[in-house]
Amino acid sequence: MRKPPSPAGSAGLHLVAEVPLLHPEEQMVDAMLDGWRNQQLARNLAPTTVDGQIQRVRRFYEQVDQYPWLWTLQLVDEWFADKRAVEHRATSTIRGYQSSLRGFCNFISSPDYGRAQECEQRFGTHPVQVITEANSATHTEESETNPRKRAFTRTELQMLFDYGDDEVARKRAQGRKGWISAFRDVTMFKVDYGFGLRRNELRMLDVADFSSNPEAPEFGDFGVCQVRYGKARKGAPPKRRSVLCVWPWVSEILEQWFTEIRPLFGIDRSPAVWPSERQARVCAWQTHHRFATYRQELGLPPELDLHSLRRSYITHLIEDGFDARFVQDQVGHDYASTTSIYTCVSSDYRIRTLRRALDTTLADALRDPDDRGEARR
């Protein structure tokens, strides 16, 4: 009979029976991590997600200095207690570690992959699940974002964009070549806000992702932005969506970028909207570094990060009277509750909304009874 194939990541794919190992403990750990990586890739998880999971488990393994088949609940509890009480790690960080450890322990203790049996034979013990309902953080809130995170006020946003424009003018006046990159950076920030994009959605835009909107010809060739690298569900490809341009100034700055500035990079064959001096596409760390520099120079609080531009987009659309369902579709949220988490309307907006409601109620109360009856009919 033909032997059934081993599942991805099984012990038989990494350790050869009856072959002595030079450092069996370390080699077993490496084989476990390699096997878990293969299992996650077989589940169609993104390589970046898998790398993050592996790094968290490896970091825990190196810090506790115990092999996985020697891990105990007490050891895990002490480590997480130190992370919370001494290092003051965020709840989401703790949950990330616990989720990774739970998945890894499920893998190495499963009889289907042969890890537990191999450890029993070689070391006289076997791995167990060390993240249980008793010692894992429960997810009770829809959002665990740092409460200090918020949207830009319109004044802060204007300060940010003005500073970026001033940097371009200053470097250009000095004859420095860096003015082209500075122009790219501030244009990226404006487009990020103008379409309410996530970081990777912005970075991965291609020239072909912009098109006209037949219902809004005033936006020219930039009435629609096709987002191809949206936030993916677990094990699924990136989610696609189209975002409509809502402000004329966004199409104007894109027109200038494509016709006057982008050609100066000399990368005619590159599809990327945001090229870099040394590669076809700007890196994420470059964008974050430049944004942090702008923020520090302006003295803005650190809770205003690059993602705050997306929060600002949602907030300002709501304040400007756009329908909540339209805003939800624009930013690609599956649920209205997610959009509401991003909404940070100002006190002035809430006061104006209340005032309008009170004025409407008062006007209706003072209206002639016959007029109210006619209106109801």
Side-chain angles (χ1 to χ4, degrees):
M1 295 179 61
R2 179 179 298 178
K3 184 179 180 181
S6 301
S10 63
L13 296 179
H14 295 78
L15 300 173
V16 181
E18 300 180 359
V19 174
L21 302 177
L22 185 61
H23 301 288
E25 293 84 4
E26 287 79 2
Q27 289 178 272
M28 175 62 77
V29 173
D30 290 339
M32 286 178 168
L33 291 171
D34 288 342
W36 190 43
R37 180 189 299 276
N38 291 340
Q39 184 215 42
Q40 293 181 89
L41 292 174
R43 292 166 52 201
N44 204 31
L45 298 184
T48 53
T49 301
V50 175
D51 289 342
Q53 299 267 48
I54 297 292
Q55 288 174 8
R56 282 190 286 270
V57 171
R58 186 172 288 279
R59 191 175 298 121
F60 173 82
Y61 160 64
E62 292 172 351
Q63 292 182 4
V64 299
D65 196 25
Q66 291 286 350
Y67 298 116
W69 50 91
L70 299 178
W71 291 350
T72 63
L73 272 71
Q74 293 80 4
L75 178 70
V76 170
D77 291 349
E78 291 175 4
W79 190 80
F80 280 114
D82 182 72
K83 292 295 177 184
R84 287 291 288 160
V86 179
E87 299 183 20
H88 305 290
R89 294 297 183 92
T91 304
S92 57
T93 302
I94 298 298
R95 181 170 292 108
Y97 272 102
Q98 292 179 348
S99 176
S100 298
L101 289 175
R102 181 187 291 110
F104 179 67
C105 289
N106 281 338
F107 168 72
I108 62 178
S109 60
S110 171
D112 296 333
Y113 291 97
R115 299 294 174 181
Q117 298 91 316
E118 189 72 25
C119 288
E120 191 73 48
Q121 294 174 9
R122 293 182 183 271
F123 313 119
T125 185
H126 59 84
V128 297
Q129 178 59 263
V130 293
I131 303 296
T132 68
E133 292 185 3
N135 68 346
S136 60
T138 57
H139 198 167
T140 58
E141 297 293 335
E142 291 186 37
S143 174
E144 294 178 340
T145 305
N146 187 329
R148 292 177 296 179
K149 301 288 186 182
R150 61 174 176 84
F152 283 87
T153 66
R154 296 179 190 264
T155 300
E156 291 171 335
L157 199 62
Q158 192 62 54
M159 288 172 55
L160 180 75
F161 294 158
D162 288 345
Y163 178 83
D165 292 338
D166 291 343
E167 281 291 284
V168 175
R170 181 179 64 83
K171 292 180 178 181
R172 193 169 190 176
Q174 295 174 350
R176 296 171 56 183
K177 188 178 179 180
W179 75 268
I180 302 176
S181 299
F183 198 108
R184 176 203 60 204
D185 294 334
V186 70
T187 304
M188 284 185 66
F189 299 151
K190 291 176 181 178
V191 172
D192 193 10
Y193 167 70
F195 286 103
L197 304 177
R198 299 179 179 90
R199 179 190 64 184
N200 201 51
E201 295 173 351
L202 174 72
R203 191 179 72 87
M204 297 302 294
L205 285 177
D206 284 348
V207 177
D209 292 334
F210 291 100
S211 60
S212 60
N213 182 355
E215 300 299 326
E218 59 268 34
F219 297 129
D221 295 331
F222 307 102
V224 182
C225 175
Q226 297 290 341
V227 174
R228 294 178 295 110
Y229 287 86
K231 187 176 181 180
R233 295 185 180 90
K234 193 172 185 179
K239 186 178 178 182
R240 301 176 65 121
R241 75 178 188 279
S242 60
V243 186
L244 305 181
C245 185
V246 296
W247 295 310
W249 61 266
V250 179
S251 60
E252 293 171 2
I253 65 169
L254 281 171
E255 179 71 29
Q256 183 183 17
W257 167 252
F258 280 111
T259 58
E260 301 178 19
I261 309 302
R262 186 177 177 275
L264 299 178
F265 281 89
I267 40 99
D268 295 336
R269 296 184 179 181
S270 173
V273 172
W274 316 112
S276 176
E277 298 84 350
R278 298 178 178 85
Q279 51 192 355
R281 198 179 299 273
V282 68
C283 294
W285 72 265
Q286 288 179 287
T287 308
H288 275 290
H289 176 72
R290 186 56 59 89
F291 186 88
T293 301
Y294 283 14
R295 183 184 62 210
Q296 292 169 7
E297 291 295 328
L298 291 169
L300 295 173
E303 54 263 26
L304 292 175
D305 54 14
L306 185 61
H307 201 64
S308 291
L309 293 174
R310 179 172 164 87
R311 297 186 185 96
S312 305
Y313 174 81
I314 295 172
T315 298
H316 296 164
L317 284 184
I318 295 296
E319 290 183 346
D320 290 345
F322 283 84
D323 182 76
R325 177 65 193 189
F326 172 80
V327 178
Q328 179 185 341
D329 290 340
Q330 285 281 95
V331 296
H333 287 158
D334 291 331
Y335 305 103
S337 58
T338 307
T339 308
S340 67
I341 293 171
Y342 279 73
T343 306
C344 313
V345 295
S346 64
S347 297
D348 290 342
Y349 170 79
R350 288 184 285 125
I351 291 172
R352 291 196 305 270
T353 302
L354 175 62
R355 186 69 265 165
R356 283 197 301 269
L358 292 176
D359 290 344
T360 300
T361 302
L362 182 60
D364 186 64
L366 295 177
R367 189 184 303 170
D368 185 89
D370 295 335
D371 293 340
R372 291 202 298 270
E374 184 66 26
R376 283 194 292 272
R377 287 195 293 273

